DNA sequence: CAGCATCCCAACTGATACTG
DNA sequence: CAGTATCAGTTGGGATGCTG
């Protein structure tokens, strides 16, 4: 295998880099936050525990599938706890752990940045788009 | 149209919520950060300007398509600037704007959180997985 | 009430080849 | 060197119907 095409070499590099990225804590976290529903669930629970259907109602538009999937992932990561009360009908409460609350704090920092700078971003976009429309014409 | 199925009602709610989310600065920002390559590009440029192919090399495994796509999006958002020098061959430099640098700072905050807490997350995962394997057995 | 299993479609990704 | 155009593969997410 002395001969390796450029494609093969690049693919290997990609694989190694993927492994590197997956091992990087920052990217693991960004992967989590990137999930459309994670930030919403964490924000919703920041003010206190909630039941499954309450979450479903507060986060309008989420399908049961995604809600469960998100909650399970966050439970696995130790961000929240799942408390089942075996009554009839069943009752399930979700609550943030201390780790979860600390994540909520980080989320606030992100929120602050976003609200402080979003205006600049929008202005930049308008400038960019305006400049581009001239090209099209 | 007095009769609306549950599915239709939910879909409408989803659409409205999508619109709401898209208008929310925090989610706009998270959408950007969530992009696999954005954080890498911003980090790479945090220490100084770079040329297109330098970025391609530093961020091993990125395809030209994704690199260009990422750079264009960030340029549009005012995160970085694109400087073309019409020599032969062409030379293009990318550099973070002040806004971009402030974003890099936020990225550092995320990184700090990740590195501080990733251990807890991993422990939580092991506990969760261990508890689950018992179920399987 | 809380959740799982299944199917399915759309969107994004990445490889490849070509251009100014 | 710095991209663009095109195409195929993979995945994510929603709809739906059913269970403890």
């Amino acid at each position: 295998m002395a001969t390796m095409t450029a494609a093969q070499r690049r693919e290997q590099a990609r694989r190694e880099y993927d492994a590197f990225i997956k091992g990087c804590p920052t990217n693991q976290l960004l992967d989590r936050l990137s999930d459309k529903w994670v930030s919403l669930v964490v924000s919703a629970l920041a003010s206190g525990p909630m039941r499954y259907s309450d979450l479903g109602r507060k986060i309008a538009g989420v399908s049961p599938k995604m809600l469960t999937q998100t909650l399970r992932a966050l439970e696995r990561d130790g961000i929240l706890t799942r408390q089942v009360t075996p009554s009839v009908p069943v009752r399930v409460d979700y609550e943030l752990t201390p780790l979860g609350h600390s994540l909520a704090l980080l989320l606030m920092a992100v929120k602050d940045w976003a609200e402080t700078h979003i205006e600049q971003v929008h202005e930049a976009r308008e400038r960019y788009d305006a400049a581009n429309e001239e090209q099209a014409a």
Side-chain angles (χ1 to χ4, degrees), chain A:
Chain A
M1 297 298 188
T3 49
M4 209 182 195
T5 68
Q8 288 173 319
R9 257 181 281 117
R10 186 153 58 187
E11 208 213 334
Q12 193 189 356
R14 192 183 57 73
R15 256 201 289 263
E16 286 170 10
Y17 206 66
D18 271 7
F20 167 69
I21 287 177
K22 291 211 178 74
C24 168
T26 307
N27 273 279
Q28 286 179 17
L29 176 60
L30 282 176
D31 263 15
R32 274 267 160 282
L33 290 181
S34 78
D35 190 297
K36 188 182 174 185
W37 305 112
V38 164
S39 58
L40 297 170
V41 168
V42 172
S43 301
L45 289 175
S47 48
M50 275 205 200
R51 297 178 58 176
Y52 181 86
S53 49
D54 288 336
L55 282 168
R57 235 166 289 120
K58 178 147 186 177
I59 308 176
V62 66
S63 62
K65 176 185 171 181
M66 292 320 291
L67 185 54
T68 301
Q69 198 176 97
T70 304
L71 289 168
R72 286 292 192 282
L74 292 177
E75 185 196 0
R76 189 170 107 96
D77 286 358
I79 304 298
L80 51 78
T81 57
R82 179 168 174 271
Q83 185 71 256
V84 182
T85 309
S87 54
V88 178
V90 195
R91 173 197 175 108
V92 182
D93 289 88
Y94 292 92
E95 182 173 12
L96 278 149
T97 61
L99 182 61
H101 280 295
S102 109
L103 181 63
L105 247 48
L106 177 65
L107 221 49
M108 295 298 279
V110 173
K111 191 183 166 192
D112 278 352
W113 192 96
E115 291 178 349
T116 308
H117 297 89
I118 195 70
E119 194 55 37
Q120 290 182 57
V121 171
H122 284 156
E123 283 167 14
R125 281 187 193 167
E126 277 169 33
R127 270 197 305 277
Y128 185 93
D129 291 345
N132 252 34
E133 273 164 33
E134 285 175 27
Q135 302 285 333

mmCIF file of all heavy atoms in Angstrom, chain A residues 38-65:
data_model
loop_
_atom_site.group_PDB
_atom_site.id
_atom_site.type_symbol
_atom_site.label_atom_id
_atom_site.label_comp_id
_atom_site.label_asym_id
_atom_site.label_seq_id
_atom_site.Cartn_x
_atom_site.Cartn_y
_atom_site.Cartn_z
ATOM 1 N N VAL A 38 -32.401 21.399 22.842
ATOM 2 C CA VAL A 38 -31.686 21.361 24.112
ATOM 3 C C VAL A 38 -31.758 22.691 24.854
ATOM 4 O O VAL A 38 -32.116 22.740 26.032
ATOM 5 C CB VAL A 38 -30.219 20.951 23.905
ATOM 6 C CG1 VAL A 38 -29.396 21.274 25.124
ATOM 7 C CG2 VAL A 38 -30.130 19.457 23.597
ATOM 8 N N SER A 39 -31.442 23.751 24.159
ATOM 9 C CA SER A 39 -31.435 25.048 24.836
ATOM 10 C C SER A 39 -32.825 25.419 25.320
ATOM 11 O O SER A 39 -32.986 26.024 26.381
ATOM 12 C CB SER A 39 -30.902 26.125 23.893
ATOM 13 O OG SER A 39 -31.685 26.183 22.731
ATOM 14 N N LEU A 40 -33.829 25.030 24.569
ATOM 15 C CA LEU A 40 -35.197 25.339 24.961
ATOM 16 C C LEU A 40 -35.613 24.569 26.201
ATOM 17 O O LEU A 40 -36.238 25.114 27.112
ATOM 18 C CB LEU A 40 -36.151 25.021 23.804
ATOM 19 C CG LEU A 40 -35.903 25.870 22.556
ATOM 20 C CD1 LEU A 40 -36.701 25.343 21.379
ATOM 21 C CD2 LEU A 40 -36.263 27.318 22.832
ATOM 22 N N VAL A 41 -35.244 23.294 26.228
ATOM 23 C CA VAL A 41 -35.583 22.469 27.385
ATOM 24 C C VAL A 41 -34.871 22.981 28.631
ATOM 25 O O VAL A 41 -35.479 23.136 29.694
ATOM 26 C CB VAL A 41 -35.211 20.993 27.127
ATOM 27 C CG1 VAL A 41 -35.279 20.191 28.423
ATOM 28 C CG2 VAL A 41 -36.137 20.383 26.088
ATOM 29 N N VAL A 42 -33.596 23.249 28.501
ATOM 30 C CA VAL A 42 -32.826 23.731 29.648
ATOM 31 C C VAL A 42 -33.383 25.064 30.146
ATOM 32 O O VAL A 42 -33.553 25.260 31.354
ATOM 33 C CB VAL A 42 -31.333 23.880 29.278
ATOM 34 C CG1 VAL A 42 -30.571 24.561 30.398
ATOM 35 C CG2 VAL A 42 -30.727 22.515 28.978
ATOM 36 N N SER A 43 -33.699 25.949 29.220
ATOM 37 C CA SER A 43 -34.275 27.231 29.622
ATOM 38 C C SER A 43 -35.609 27.038 30.322
ATOM 39 O O SER A 43 -35.895 27.684 31.337
ATOM 40 C CB SER A 43 -34.477 28.117 28.395
ATOM 41 O OG SER A 43 -33.244 28.327 27.739
ATOM 42 N N ALA A 44 -36.416 26.154 29.774
ATOM 43 C CA ALA A 44 -37.734 25.913 30.361
ATOM 44 C C ALA A 44 -37.617 25.389 31.785
ATOM 45 O O ALA A 44 -38.387 25.769 32.668
ATOM 46 C CB ALA A 44 -38.521 24.927 29.496
ATOM 47 N N LEU A 45 -36.638 24.528 31.999
ATOM 48 C CA LEU A 45 -36.482 23.923 33.318
ATOM 49 C C LEU A 45 -35.692 24.793 34.290
ATOM 50 O O LEU A 45 -35.635 24.500 35.488
ATOM 51 C CB LEU A 45 -35.804 22.557 33.192
ATOM 52 C CG LEU A 45 -36.651 21.439 32.573
ATOM 53 C CD1 LEU A 45 -35.837 20.188 32.405
ATOM 54 C CD2 LEU A 45 -37.875 21.172 33.447
ATOM 55 N N ALA A 46 -35.095 25.857 33.784
ATOM 56 C CA ALA A 46 -34.249 26.691 34.636
ATOM 57 C C ALA A 46 -35.031 27.273 35.806
ATOM 58 O O ALA A 46 -34.502 27.463 36.904
ATOM 59 C CB ALA A 46 -33.621 27.810 33.807
ATOM 60 N N SER A 47 -36.302 27.532 35.575
ATOM 61 C CA SER A 47 -37.104 28.152 36.637
ATOM 62 C C SER A 47 -37.768 27.139 37.558
ATOM 63 O O SER A 47 -38.465 27.521 38.489
ATOM 64 C CB SER A 47 -38.163 29.060 36.006
ATOM 65 O OG SER A 47 -38.824 28.387 34.970
ATOM 66 N N GLY A 48 -37.565 25.859 37.288
ATOM 67 C CA GLY A 48 -38.144 24.856 38.174
ATOM 68 C C GLY A 48 -38.529 23.577 37.450
ATOM 69 O O GLY A 48 -38.533 23.539 36.218
ATOM 70 N N PRO A 49 -38.832 22.524 38.199
ATOM 71 C CA PRO A 49 -39.192 21.222 37.629
ATOM 72 C C PRO A 49 -40.456 21.314 36.778
ATOM 73 O O PRO A 49 -41.276 22.220 36.983
ATOM 74 C CB PRO A 49 -39.467 20.357 38.867
ATOM 75 C CG PRO A 49 -38.871 21.088 40.017
ATOM 76 C CD PRO A 49 -38.880 22.525 39.665
ATOM 77 N N MET A 50 -40.579 20.380 35.866
ATOM 78 C CA MET A 50 -41.767 20.337 35.014
ATOM 79 C C MET A 50 -42.091 18.907 34.626
ATOM 80 O O MET A 50 -41.218 18.060 34.556
ATOM 81 C CB MET A 50 -41.510 21.119 33.731
ATOM 82 C CG MET A 50 -41.766 22.577 33.832
ATOM 83 S SD MET A 50 -42.134 23.211 32.200
ATOM 84 C CE MET A 50 -41.790 24.936 32.464
ATOM 85 N N ARG A 51 -43.356 18.691 34.299
ATOM 86 C CA ARG A 51 -43.777 17.384 33.829
ATOM 87 C C ARG A 51 -43.611 17.297 32.324
ATOM 88 O O ARG A 51 -43.497 18.319 31.641
ATOM 89 C CB ARG A 51 -45.234 17.145 34.204
ATOM 90 C CG ARG A 51 -45.446 17.132 35.692
ATOM 91 C CD ARG A 51 -46.888 16.937 36.033
ATOM 92 N NE ARG A 51 -47.423 15.701 35.462
ATOM 93 C CZ ARG A 51 -48.659 15.255 35.694
ATOM 94 N NH1 ARG A 51 -49.458 15.937 36.472
ATOM 95 N NH2 ARG A 51 -49.084 14.136 35.156
ATOM 96 N N TYR A 52 -43.627 16.075 31.845
ATOM 97 C CA TYR A 52 -43.421 15.822 30.410
ATOM 98 C C TYR A 52 -44.363 16.653 29.536
ATOM 99 O O TYR A 52 -43.922 17.378 28.647
ATOM 100 C CB TYR A 52 -43.613 14.339 30.129
ATOM 101 C CG TYR A 52 -43.395 13.953 28.700
ATOM 102 C CD1 TYR A 52 -42.115 13.648 28.228
ATOM 103 C CD2 TYR A 52 -44.456 13.879 27.806
ATOM 104 C CE1 TYR A 52 -41.919 13.283 26.913
ATOM 105 C CE2 TYR A 52 -44.261 13.518 26.488
ATOM 106 C CZ TYR A 52 -43.003 13.225 26.049
ATOM 107 O OH TYR A 52 -42.804 12.865 24.743
ATOM 108 N N SER A 53 -45.624 16.564 29.834
ATOM 109 C CA SER A 53 -46.598 17.255 28.975
ATOM 110 C C SER A 53 -46.549 18.765 29.160
ATOM 111 O O SER A 53 -46.882 19.511 28.241
ATOM 112 C CB SER A 53 -48.007 16.733 29.230
ATOM 113 O OG SER A 53 -48.270 16.704 30.619
ATOM 114 N N ASP A 54 -46.118 19.222 30.332
ATOM 115 C CA ASP A 54 -45.950 20.660 30.518
ATOM 116 C C ASP A 54 -44.851 21.175 29.599
ATOM 117 O O ASP A 54 -44.989 22.222 28.976
ATOM 118 C CB ASP A 54 -45.583 20.961 31.980
ATOM 119 C CG ASP A 54 -46.769 20.745 32.909
ATOM 120 O OD1 ASP A 54 -47.917 20.822 32.423
ATOM 121 O OD2 ASP A 54 -46.550 20.489 34.098
ATOM 122 N N LEU A 55 -43.791 20.408 29.533
ATOM 123 C CA LEU A 55 -42.698 20.777 28.639
ATOM 124 C C LEU A 55 -43.188 20.801 27.197
ATOM 125 O O LEU A 55 -42.904 21.729 26.441
ATOM 126 C CB LEU A 55 -41.546 19.786 28.780
ATOM 127 C CG LEU A 55 -40.651 19.983 30.005
ATOM 128 C CD1 LEU A 55 -39.735 18.784 30.208
ATOM 129 C CD2 LEU A 55 -39.823 21.244 29.852
ATOM 130 N N GLY A 56 -43.939 19.760 26.849
ATOM 131 C CA GLY A 56 -44.473 19.682 25.496
ATOM 132 C C GLY A 56 -45.331 20.891 25.163
ATOM 133 O O GLY A 56 -45.362 21.342 24.018
ATOM 134 N N ARG A 57 -46.030 21.401 26.154
ATOM 135 C CA ARG A 57 -46.900 22.545 25.900
ATOM 136 C C ARG A 57 -46.102 23.846 25.888
ATOM 137 O O ARG A 57 -46.312 24.717 25.057
ATOM 138 C CB ARG A 57 -48.000 22.601 26.962
ATOM 139 C CG ARG A 57 -49.385 22.618 26.342
ATOM 140 C CD ARG A 57 -50.470 22.341 27.360
ATOM 141 N NE ARG A 57 -50.464 20.945 27.788
ATOM 142 C CZ ARG A 57 -50.292 20.535 29.044
ATOM 143 N NH1 ARG A 57 -50.118 21.412 30.001
ATOM 144 N NH2 ARG A 57 -50.289 19.254 29.336
ATOM 145 N N LYS A 58 -45.168 23.959 26.818
ATOM 146 C CA LYS A 58 -44.360 25.183 26.887
ATOM 147 C C LYS A 58 -43.500 25.333 25.630
ATOM 148 O O LYS A 58 -43.328 26.428 25.118
ATOM 149 C CB LYS A 58 -43.463 25.147 28.122
ATOM 150 C CG LYS A 58 -42.555 26.363 28.230
ATOM 151 C CD LYS A 58 -42.288 26.752 29.667
ATOM 152 C CE LYS A 58 -41.494 28.047 29.718
ATOM 153 N NZ LYS A 58 -41.267 28.508 31.110
ATOM 154 N N ILE A 59 -42.950 24.223 25.176
ATOM 155 C CA ILE A 59 -42.150 24.249 23.954
ATOM 156 C C ILE A 59 -43.041 23.830 22.806
ATOM 157 O O ILE A 59 -42.916 22.744 22.266
ATOM 158 C CB ILE A 59 -40.952 23.301 24.082
ATOM 159 C CG1 ILE A 59 -40.182 23.597 25.368
ATOM 160 C CG2 ILE A 59 -40.037 23.444 22.879
ATOM 161 C CD1 ILE A 59 -39.052 22.666 25.638
ATOM 162 N N ALA A 60 -43.937 24.715 22.418
ATOM 163 C CA ALA A 60 -44.904 24.399 21.374
ATOM 164 C C ALA A 60 -44.193 23.978 20.102
ATOM 165 O O ALA A 60 -43.172 24.533 19.740
ATOM 166 C CB ALA A 60 -45.769 25.622 21.101
ATOM 167 N N GLY A 61 -44.732 22.983 19.457
ATOM 168 C CA GLY A 61 -44.176 22.586 18.169
ATOM 169 C C GLY A 61 -43.184 21.450 18.234
ATOM 170 O O GLY A 61 -42.712 20.980 17.210
ATOM 171 N N VAL A 62 -42.873 21.015 19.424
ATOM 172 C CA VAL A 62 -41.953 19.882 19.522
ATOM 173 C C VAL A 62 -42.766 18.590 19.425
ATOM 174 O O VAL A 62 -43.865 18.489 19.983
ATOM 175 C CB VAL A 62 -41.171 19.915 20.852
ATOM 176 C CG1 VAL A 62 -42.081 19.713 22.049
ATOM 177 C CG2 VAL A 62 -40.063 18.877 20.845
ATOM 178 N N SER A 63 -42.262 17.634 18.688
ATOM 179 C CA SER A 63 -42.949 16.349 18.586
ATOM 180 C C SER A 63 -42.553 15.501 19.786
ATOM 181 O O SER A 63 -41.462 15.673 20.330
ATOM 182 C CB SER A 63 -42.552 15.654 17.292
ATOM 183 O OG SER A 63 -41.169 15.376 17.278
ATOM 184 N N PRO A 64 -43.426 14.582 20.202
ATOM 185 C CA PRO A 64 -43.113 13.721 21.347
ATOM 186 C C PRO A 64 -41.769 13.031 21.159
ATOM 187 O O PRO A 64 -40.984 12.906 22.102
ATOM 188 C CB PRO A 64 -44.246 12.688 21.340
ATOM 189 C CG PRO A 64 -45.281 13.183 20.415
ATOM 190 C CD PRO A 64 -44.735 14.311 19.621
ATOM 191 N N LYS A 65 -41.520 12.617 19.957
ATOM 192 C CA LYS A 65 -40.264 11.921 19.672
ATOM 193 C C LYS A 65 -39.050 12.753 20.041
ATOM 194 O O LYS A 65 -38.162 12.300 20.759
ATOM 195 C CB LYS A 65 -40.190 11.561 18.193
ATOM 196 C CG LYS A 65 -38.885 10.923 17.787
ATOM 197 C CD LYS A 65 -38.841 10.702 16.292
ATOM 198 C CE LYS A 65 -37.463 10.271 15.849
ATOM 199 N NZ LYS A 65 -37.407 10.083 14.395
#
